[in-house]
Amino acid sequence: MSGIGAALLNSLDIGLLLFIIAVGLNIVFGVLNIINFAHGALYMLGAYLAFTLINIAGMPFWAALLLAPIGVAILAVIIDRFLLRFIYSRDVADSLLLTFAILLIINESVRMIWGSGIHVVQPPDLLAGSVDLLGSSVATYSLFVIIIGLLLLAGLWYLFNRTRVGRIMRAAALDRDMAEALCINTRLVVTGVFAFGAWLAAVGGVMAAPMRALDPGMGDKIIIESFIVVVIGGLGSFPGALLGAIILGLIHGFGGRYLPEVNLLLPFVGMALVLLFKPNGIMGKGASA
């Protein structure tokens, strides 16, 4: 039971962190209809800004958790205003190409500023150590990630279903022309949604920094996992992002413990099976057809 409990908690830890990151990718696609290939680079930038604020500027982790995502969101506003706004009315493939170029620019900028070496961020003293839970020893920081993931999940659900801002975002996603006819500033909505998606990616980056070594390729790895999440759950689906992240977390958590030899292959096998039987994702548009 202790092994199963540890695998389950590890799955929740991985799954909820992936949810924080992948849900931003899904929100951007659902509202703006663009596939943001640079989402992983924004996640990486959040982690590197946290490293700078904590290890170089000497700020506490909590300040980095607040400031780094805001800095990435500001960069996202600049990217939207000067680059992305020209391709919103074009084919989705154009957004994929442009955001891939942005990904390359950010990756090279990170190498120029921080170098190609590996950097490490220590968890805050308050979250150091471990606790006994479900018959196994669990890192306190992992429990913190799970709690923050659940809080963000509840907050996002409330935002989309119980607030005027959420209704405006959903209206813009369904019919932008009709939203404009109702005097909704869709230009502001588009910029705000892209910045919000980048903020979520950066929050994931800051949260991941004490758990994973920082290197210039970390964004490439996470964007692949984020795409697996949205393919499994359904591109543009908020519940699908949660379901896909939990499924991928379970694959990593239990696969890493019981099938370590093939663990790296299991996410791709899961994605292939979903594409075979549910091409739109388990909860994507048309998934019930």
Side-chain angles (χ1 to χ4, degrees):
M1 281 300 296
S2 62
I4 294 175
L8 183 60
L9 289 170
N10 190 36
S11 300
L12 270 178
D13 178 15
I14 297 170
L16 288 171
L17 180 61
L18 281 172
F19 168 75
I20 294 171
I21 301 161
V23 73
L25 184 69
N26 243 3
I27 291 170
V28 168
F29 177 81
V31 178
L32 310 186
N33 197 35
I34 69 167
I35 298 175
N36 182 17
F37 212 87
H39 196 72
L42 297 172
Y43 153 88
M44 174 181 66
L45 200 55
Y48 271 92
L49 286 178
F51 165 78
T52 301
L53 293 172
I54 296 169
N55 291 28
I56 298 177
M59 293 186 181
F61 172 83
W62 313 106
L65 183 58
L66 174 66
L67 296 176
I70 292 175
V72 174
I74 292 172
L75 175 62
V77 171
I78 296 171
I79 291 173
D80 172 80
R81 299 299 294 175
F82 289 96
L83 294 173
L84 290 180
R85 71 186 184 94
F86 297 107
I87 55 95
Y88 283 132
S89 59
R90 298 188 191 176
D91 188 76
V92 173
D94 291 342
S95 68
L96 187 61
L97 292 172
L98 178 57
T99 54
F100 181 69
I102 295 170
L103 162 70
L104 296 177
I105 292 170
I106 294 177
N107 280 355
E108 290 306 313
S109 299
V110 165
R111 286 189 176 91
M112 290 173 59
I113 297 171
W114 287 282
S116 300
I118 293 175
H119 301 287
V120 177
V121 175
Q122 296 297 329
D125 294 338
L126 181 64
L127 302 175
S130 61
V131 296
D132 291 329
L133 193 63
L134 297 180
S136 60
S137 180
V138 182
T140 307
Y141 189 81
S142 294
L143 294 179
F144 170 72
V145 172
I146 292 172
I147 292 169
I148 293 298
L150 292 173
L151 288 175
L152 276 174
L153 168 62
L156 288 170
W157 180 88
Y158 185 82
L159 172 68
F160 289 122
N161 294 283
R162 292 291 186 268
T163 69
R164 183 172 181 272
V165 172
R167 289 192 291 270
I168 289 173
M169 290 169 63
R170 291 163 65 187
L174 291 172
D175 192 329
R176 199 172 299 176
D177 293 333
M178 181 60 71
E180 288 179 350
L182 294 173
C183 300
I184 294 174
N185 187 344
T186 56
R187 177 66 258 170
L188 181 61
V189 172
V190 165
T191 301
V193 167
F194 187 73
F196 183 54
W199 180 85
L200 285 168
V203 168
V206 177
M207 298 285 292
M211 303 167 63
R212 305 176 181 179
L214 277 60
D215 68 86
M218 64 185 298
D220 302 340
K221 301 167 190 171
I222 204 68
I223 193 62
I224 293 172
E225 294 198 322
S226 296
F227 275 125
I228 293 174
V229 166
V230 298
V231 166
I232 291 175
L235 195 57
S237 168
F238 172 73
L242 175 61
L243 178 62
I246 294 300
I247 290 174
L248 189 55
L250 289 169
I251 289 173
H252 280 310
F254 283 89
R257 177 171 288 269
Y258 297 108
L259 296 169
E261 300 84 0
V262 295
N263 186 42
L264 292 177
L265 293 177
L266 292 177
F268 300 100
V269 172
M271 181 177 67
L273 290 173
V274 170
L275 287 173
L276 184 62
F277 296 105
K278 292 280 189 179
N280 295 309
I282 297 174
M283 303 187 73
K285 297 176 182 177
S288 61

